[in-house]
Amino acid sequence: MSSASQLSMTDAVFLETRFQILSGVYLPGSTFDREEVASVYSCSPRLILDVFNALKAEGYVDVPRRGT
């Protein structure tokens, strides 16, 4: 598989989280802890913030000013 066809880590976490939202793993009103999600995926909290912001832009989550 070439590197051009591989998903970035951000894309992979975004797609997986979106699938979990759509399939009911996360219900309306659920909260995400950025540090906890980052530890699940072994990535930086900044990457998770980028994912949450992308999910917010598409209307899947609300991101308050402080915390997630």
Side-chain angles (χ1 to χ4, degrees):
M1 180 179 273
S2 70
S3 63
S5 64
Q6 293 179 347
L7 291 175
S8 73
M9 181 63 154
T10 304
D11 291 338
V13 174
F14 171 84
L15 291 172
E16 187 168 329
T17 305
R18 184 180 69 176
F19 176 77
Q20 291 172 340
I21 291 168
L22 293 172
S23 65
V25 173
Y26 296 113
L27 299 174
S30 296
T31 59
F32 297 93
D33 180 270
R34 187 174 32 190
E35 298 287 333
E36 185 178 307
V37 175
S39 70
V40 168
Y41 291 102
S42 300
C43 64
S44 75
R46 175 65 190 159
L47 183 141
I48 300 303
L49 181 59
D50 291 343
V51 168
F52 288 169
N53 285 332
L55 289 166
K56 179 183 178 185
E58 292 199 11
Y60 292 106
V61 298
D62 288 326
V63 180
R65 289 194 178 269
R66 288 190 51 90
T68 302

